[in-house]
Amino acid sequence: MVMRRSSAWTRNCAREVIRTLGRYLSIMAIIALGVGFFCGLKVTKKAMIKTFDTYADDCNMYDLQLLSTLGFTDDDVEQLVLTDGVLDAEGSFSVDAVAQIDGREQVLKVHSLTERINKLSLVSGRLPSSADECVLDADAFGSDVIGKSVTVF
């Protein structure tokens, strides 16, 4: 059996790695970080889709929204319910408004509350129990505005 000596190219590569060990380890760490990040993104997609599906089912979110500048009548909504493939339909109102909260003017999108479709997921507080109460978006307003006055212009 004849033992083969390592070639000059192999010895040169090994010498380069040893001389620049810091650079070699840095490149390996960058590659490991990239692989870890990519694997995390691959797993995260499935988790995000499952989380949104659960949230959409819990809140009974709509699949299709019809908008009209003139509005729809109750008869229009009833006709939509009778359409094949439509399980439920519900009318609502929305308007853009300027409001004053804690002395600051803010532009808000105001939506009417629906009973069956697009139910709210409360973070804190309670749902309105009278006509002079409202619900604010938890992402835009903290729980410190609960009980404060909102003036809509």
Side-chain angles (χ1 to χ4, degrees):
M1 183 163 143
V2 178
M3 292 194 70
R4 226 172 152 193
R5 292 186 174 195
S6 60
S7 68
W9 183 81
T10 306
R11 285 192 309 265
N12 189 34
C13 286
R15 196 176 304 129
E16 277 298 312
V17 168
I18 291 170
R19 273 196 299 164
T20 59
L21 186 61
R23 182 185 304 168
Y24 180 77
L25 292 176
S26 296
I27 291 171
M28 294 305 280
I30 290 170
I31 291 170
L33 185 64
V35 168
F37 187 74
F38 178 72
C39 291
L41 286 178
K42 293 285 281 183
V43 171
T44 301
K45 177 185 174 188
K46 293 176 187 173
M48 288 174 62
I49 289 172
K50 184 177 179 184
T51 300
F52 178 75
D53 282 345
T54 302
Y55 178 78
D57 289 342
D58 291 346
C59 294
N60 199 21
M61 292 181 78
Y62 58 78
D63 295 321
L64 182 65
Q65 179 183 20
L66 299 177
L67 299 173
S68 171
T69 55
L70 300 175
F72 296 104
T73 64
D74 290 336
D75 293 335
D76 294 333
V77 175
E78 288 175 17
Q79 287 298 316
L80 287 171
V81 173
L82 298 176
T83 305
D84 287 340
V86 175
L87 299 177
D88 199 1
E90 190 171 16
S92 66
F93 301 94
S94 67
V95 66
D96 294 324
V98 177
Q100 187 171 16
I101 303 173
D102 284 342
R104 296 181 322 195
E105 284 190 2
Q106 294 182 326
V107 177
L108 301 178
K109 180 78 168 183
V110 181
H111 298 275
S112 62
L113 292 177
T114 54
E115 295 178 18
R116 300 177 311 276
I117 300 173
N118 275 0
K119 295 184 279 185
L120 295 179
S121 175
L122 285 178
V123 174
S124 60
R126 60 174 174 76
L127 286 175
S129 58
S130 65
D132 63 343
E133 295 179 336
C134 67
V135 177
L136 295 175
D137 185 10
D139 291 335
F141 302 97
S143 60
D144 58 326
V145 297
I146 295 176
K148 293 192 178 177
S149 178
V150 176
T151 306
V152 179
F153 303 109

